[in-house]
Amino acid sequence: MSTPSNNTPHATTAAEGKFITPLDHIQSIDVPHSKIPVFDSIAAFREWRKEQTRQNKVVGFVPTMGALHDGHLDLVKTAKKECDAVVVSIFVNPAQFAPHEDLDQYPRTFDTDYASLVSTNACAAILLPKVSEMYPVGISLDRSQQRGAFVEVQGLSHQMEGIPRPHFFRGVATVVTKLFNIVQPDRAFFGQKDAQQCVVLRAMIRDLLLPITMRAVPTCREADGMAMSSRNRYLTPEMRKISTLLYRAITAAKKNIVEHKVQDREEILKPAYAIIEQVKQECKDQGLDFDIRLDYLSLVDVETLSELQVLGESQAAILSGAVYVGTTRLIDNVLINTEEL
């Protein structure tokens, strides 16, 4: 067991085709680590995990990349209601970032994350693994240069979020498999905000015969409906004012289904496109120094993630989208004809 530590990996710049090299030294920071044990060694964590087995404890697991917000804490509290001991991992996973994405800029805030987890009275241990242990031969952000073992869920990873980010779910499935192997949880908890991720990981658990029960917990939202996200902190106050546009867009589309019984895809999504276009034009008219750019809107079957042209009367589906507010990419979704993924 070690003192809590900063999880910032050593890296070259993104423009150089970033290669994350093994780095064993992690800078300690001054927090009262006696409240929750923090493990930056896999071997040390496994000794702790053996003790939970000896005590016949049900272990829950919440994997995160840090920069914790109330949505993460809600996952931890939910896990505690169902489990004897809850493990939270904090690991900014290089394998799910492309060379042009924001690995270097992704917020690393362990001191506040630790204090937040203490405040829940629900976290039994924190796993803070090193890049050198998670990727023993290093990890390039250029997929063509990667070496070692990776996990990919075919058929569910290259639509929706996988179109603009074709590398993403391979990185997610790989790191979650590694974390499952370390933590050996009985139950794992993920947020519904990342709907496609939930579908991909549930299929992975099923197909790899992992003895883990997975829970997809409903999205935590701000008072104005915006989904909580670590990337929300990138938004300026002016950006934040209009950043509910995606939630307003997809809820308007859902209203078309629920209240007006619309089943045709084009008609379902029409009000969503209209709202986004309206906000985009308003930003231009006001001379704001950032743009609004729609990445995608999607209506898919909840199991196959196949895009639907016509929604069946009681067909379970995911209505989702992604939009850029300035350079910050926001995602959100609502469920149709189902309560949980």
Side-chain angles (χ1 to χ4, degrees):
M1 184 176 75
S2 75
T3 56
S5 49
N6 188 319
N7 198 34
T8 305
H10 174 69
T12 60
T13 66
E16 296 171 328
K18 190 176 297 172
F19 191 88
I20 310 301
T21 55
L23 183 66
D24 286 326
H25 172 70
I26 298 182
Q27 179 183 356
S28 295
I29 58 179
D30 185 19
V31 294
H33 63 275
S34 60
K35 292 183 178 179
I36 304 176
V38 179
F39 300 91
D40 65 0
S41 158
I42 292 173
F45 175 84
R46 282 176 166 156
E47 289 303 310
W48 178 90
R49 181 64 181 88
K50 287 177 184 177
E51 182 59 29
Q52 310 313 302
T53 300
R54 282 192 287 266
Q55 296 180 27
N56 293 316
K57 288 186 175 181
V58 174
V59 173
F61 179 42
V62 179
T64 82
M65 294 209 303
L68 303 183
H69 50 70
D70 285 348
H72 294 111
L73 302 184
D74 184 61
L75 290 176
V76 177
K77 294 172 185 176
T78 299
K80 181 57 178 173
K81 291 175 183 177
E82 301 182 17
C83 305
D84 300 312
V86 178
V87 177
V88 175
S89 66
I90 298 175
F91 182 68
V92 181
N93 176 33
Q96 65 196 65
F97 290 81
H100 66 281
E101 292 181 335
D102 60 348
L103 175 62
D104 286 340
Q105 287 74 42
Y106 196 88
R108 292 161 173 85
T109 56
F110 182 78
D111 50 352
T112 54
D113 291 346
Y114 184 84
S116 295
L117 290 171
V118 169
S119 73
T120 67
N121 293 313
C123 179
I126 299 171
L127 175 63
L128 196 72
K130 308 179 190 73
V131 174
S132 59
E133 285 205 281
M134 296 297 285
Y135 296 98
V137 298
I139 178 69
S140 171
L141 301 197
D142 181 347
R143 181 168 172 171
S144 68
Q145 297 179 24
Q146 290 176 349
R147 296 170 289 161
F150 293 84
V151 178
E152 188 162 10
V153 180
Q154 298 288 355
L156 298 173
S157 300
H158 298 291
Q159 54 270 70
M160 301 164 69
E161 285 291 293
I163 294 174
R165 307 184 73 193
H167 58 284
F168 180 71
F169 289 109
R170 179 174 180 264
V172 169
T174 297
V175 78
V176 172
T177 299
K178 290 171 181 272
L179 290 168
F180 281 170
N181 284 337
I182 298 165
V183 176
Q184 298 288 300
D186 299 292
R187 300 178 186 178
F189 298 79
F190 297 88
Q192 183 187 297
K193 183 180 78 70
D194 301 299
Q196 185 175 5
Q197 174 176 281
C198 290
V199 175
V200 167
L201 294 179
R202 194 179 292 282
M204 184 189 81
I205 290 169
R206 177 198 66 207
D207 292 350
L208 296 183
L209 309 180
L210 301 178
I212 298 169
T213 299
M214 182 184 139
R215 288 267 281 107
V217 179
T219 302
C220 269
R221 300 187 178 277
E222 305 287 356
D224 60 5
M226 185 174 177
M228 292 183 181
S229 170
S230 299
R231 286 190 169 93
N232 290 355
R233 66 187 66 198
Y234 295 159
L235 300 169
T236 66
E238 200 69 46
M239 291 174 176
R240 178 62 184 85
K241 289 179 184 177
I242 58 92
S243 290
T244 58
L245 83 163
L246 181 56
Y247 178 64
R248 291 193 289 119
I250 59 177
T251 51
K254 181 174 181 176
K255 183 178 180 180
N256 244 0
I257 298 169
V258 175
E259 295 186 12
H260 304 299
K261 310 302 179 185
V262 178
Q263 294 179 279
D264 177 75
R265 174 193 182 87
E266 186 174 339
E267 289 300 313
I268 289 171
L269 296 179
K270 186 179 290 186
Y273 283 113
I275 287 171
I276 292 170
E277 188 57 37
Q278 178 185 353
V279 175
K280 182 177 180 179
Q281 189 59 49
E282 288 173 354
C283 288
K284 287 183 179 179
D285 293 344
Q286 294 172 31
L288 299 179
D289 61 354
F290 58 88
D291 295 324
I292 302 297
R293 179 166 63 87
L294 177 65
D295 195 346
Y296 71 87
L297 289 174
S298 176
L299 177 66
V300 300
D301 179 85
V302 77
E303 293 185 1
T304 67
L305 299 186
S306 300
E307 292 287 345
L308 299 174
Q309 298 306 313
V310 177
L311 177 69
E313 185 175 346
S314 59
Q315 184 172 11
I318 303 169
L319 204 167
S320 66
V323 66
Y324 284 90
V325 178
T327 59
T328 301
R329 187 172 184 271
L330 306 176
I331 65 171
D332 204 350
N333 67 83
V334 290
L335 301 183
I336 308 297
N337 296 325
T338 184
E339 296 298 321
E340 184 176 333
L341 292 171

